[in-house]
């Protein structure tokens, strides 16, 4: 009958509308990203890879997030037989994300001649500060005072709670007749996973630094000369890191994470 035909048409339209609507609102993954990097980001040449701590989440079309099991993802091979920066790609289906791990060109322990080891670095090197306490033995020990970084390098530790450094770096500096001056056109330096051990006090909203070499207000933990493109990552848990530990001199594009 006409009445039944109309009912069938209405039902068909409703079904079509609902199917289209829900298809358009699918909660499938549209992107995914790293929410937690591996605990170990730096290796000695030939060392076995350990991705413990790596966490990936997907972003779904409905705005929700979903943890991605690494068993369901494809992770590119990490070659530790050669030194350098290694890009690690994690993919699942058509989605992918990536992060870097590092294989050391220079490995330093807290019993090494620190300045001598740093001075050996060349542009592009990965300098690995292994777990330890890089702290002066006494007031006359200047092993970690005014450590010049004049090459485009990655300086990376085993974590802020494991690689502890009580001294100061002069980034982008060079010695000219006994004075430290800015190196021309200096750029591309990374400090990763290092715990800087300089203390501070606050009075009238001003910071006063103290370290193993007394007042550190003229050198801080990082005294950055005219340097472009610098990254400081996971070097201190406080959000006040830039105020407390870094002094600037014509710096451009520094990223603190």
């Amino acid at each position: 009958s006409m009445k039944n035909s109309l009912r069938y048409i209405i039902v068909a339209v409703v079904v079509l509308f609902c199917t289209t609507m829900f298809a358009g609102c699918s909660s499938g993954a549209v992107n995914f990203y790293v929410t937690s990097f591996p605990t170990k980001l730096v290796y000695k040449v030939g060392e076995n890879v350990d991705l413990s701590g790596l966490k990936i989440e997907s972003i779904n079309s409905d705005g929700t997030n979903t943890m991605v099991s690494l068993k369901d993802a494809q992770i590119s091979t990490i070659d530790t037989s050669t030194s350098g920066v290694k890009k690690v790609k994690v993919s699942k289906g058509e989605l992918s994300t990536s992060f870097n791990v590092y294989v050391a060109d220079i490995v330093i322990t807290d019993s090494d001649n620190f300045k001598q080891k740093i001075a050996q670095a060349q542009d592009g090197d990965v300098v690995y500060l292994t777990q330890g306490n890089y702290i002066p033995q006494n007031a006359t020990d200047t092993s970690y005072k005014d450590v010049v970084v004049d090459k485009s390098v990655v300086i990376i530790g085993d974590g802020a709670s494991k690689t502890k450094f009580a001294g100061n770096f002069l980034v982008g500096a060079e010695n000219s007749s006994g004075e430290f001056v800015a190196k021309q056109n200096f750029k591309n330096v990374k400090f990763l996973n290092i715990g800087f051990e300089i203390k501070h006090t606050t009075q009238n909203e001003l910071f006063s630094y103290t370290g193993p070499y007394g007042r550190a207000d003229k050198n801080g933990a990082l005294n950055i000369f005219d340097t472009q493109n610098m990254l400081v990552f996971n070097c201190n848990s406080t959000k006040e890191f830039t105020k407390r530990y870094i002094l600037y001199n014509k710096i451009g594009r520094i990223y603190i994470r």
Side-chain angles (χ1 to χ4, degrees), residues 15-211:
V15 169
L16 178 61
F17 173 78
C18 290
T19 302
T20 303
M21 179 179 176
F22 283 106
C25 296
S26 169
S27 60
V30 295
N31 196 2
F32 79 169
Y33 60 99
V34 176
T35 59
S36 177
F37 291 101
T39 303
K40 188 171 180 60
L41 287 175
V42 59
Y43 297 89
K44 298 175 183 177
V45 171
E47 194 173 359
N48 292 331
V49 173
D50 180 4
L51 295 180
S52 301
L54 175 62
K55 294 181 181 179
I56 307 288
E57 282 189 10
S58 65
I59 302 174
N60 306 313
S61 59
D62 61 2
T64 61
N65 289 17
T66 303
M67 189 66 69
V68 176
S69 170
L70 296 183
K71 294 180 180 179
D72 300 329
Q74 292 75 50
I75 302 176
S76 61
T77 301
I78 304 172
D79 178 17
T80 64
S81 66
T82 58
S83 61
V85 181
K86 311 289 180 173
K87 184 176 182 179
V88 184
K89 183 178 180 181
V90 184
S91 57
K92 182 180 180 183
E94 296 181 354
L95 301 179
S96 67
T97 188
S98 63
F99 61 93
N100 291 333
V101 298
Y102 303 85
V103 182
D105 295 275
I106 296 174
V107 178
I108 303 179
T109 71
D110 60 6
S111 61
D112 287 331
N113 184 319
F114 191 79
K115 289 182 179 178
Q116 186 180 80
K117 282 276 194 175
I118 291 288
Q120 293 173 3
Q122 301 298 314
D123 286 336
D125 278 357
V126 174
V127 180
Y128 176 19
L129 309 190
T130 60
Q131 179 174 342
N133 295 312
Y134 299 81
I135 298 173
Q137 298 300 307
N138 51 58
T140 61
D141 178 4
T142 59
S143 300
Y144 310 108
K145 180 178 174 59
D146 295 338
V147 180
V148 173
V149 177
D150 59 359
K151 298 293 191 300
S152 298
V153 295
V154 176
I155 299 180
I156 181 171
D158 278 317
S161 64
K162 296 179 179 179
T163 299
K164 297 183 179 181
F165 184 85
N168 69 290
F169 290 96
L170 304 182
V171 183
E174 58 185 1
N175 196 319
S176 176
S177 302
E179 295 290 331
F180 292 111
V181 298
K183 184 176 180 179
Q184 295 297 309
N185 301 315
F186 188 67
K187 59 186 177 181
N188 300 334
V189 177
K190 295 180 181 179
F191 285 87
L192 314 174
N193 291 0
I194 299 171
F196 291 107
E197 294 289 302
I198 287 181
K199 298 179 181 179
H200 77 283
T201 57
T202 306
Q203 185 174 2
N204 298 327
E205 298 184 354
L206 297 176
F207 288 98
S208 177
Y209 306 91
T210 57

Side-chain angles (χ1 to χ4, degrees), residues 34-35 37 41 97-100 102 159-160 189-196 222 229-243 245-246 248 253-257:
V34 176
T35 59
F37 291 101
L41 287 175
T97 188
S98 63
F99 61 93
N100 291 333
Y102 303 85
V189 177
K190 295 180 181 179
F191 285 87
L192 314 174
N193 291 0
I194 299 171
F196 291 107
L222 297 174
N229 297 335
M230 181 170 170
L231 170 66
V232 179
F233 175 82
N234 196 31
C235 285
N236 197 279
S237 60
T238 175
K239 293 180 180 179
E240 296 288 346
F241 183 85
T242 54
K243 292 182 181 178
Y245 300 123
I246 297 181
Y248 306 101
R253 292 201 297 271
I254 181 171
Y255 304 91
I256 311 294
R257 297 177 183 174

Side-chain angles (χ1 to χ4, degrees), residues 5-23:
S5 297
L6 183 60
R7 182 182 301 154
Y8 292 144
I9 291 172
I10 292 173
V11 170
V13 170
V14 170
V15 169
L16 178 61
F17 173 78
C18 290
T19 302
T20 303
M21 179 179 176
F22 283 106

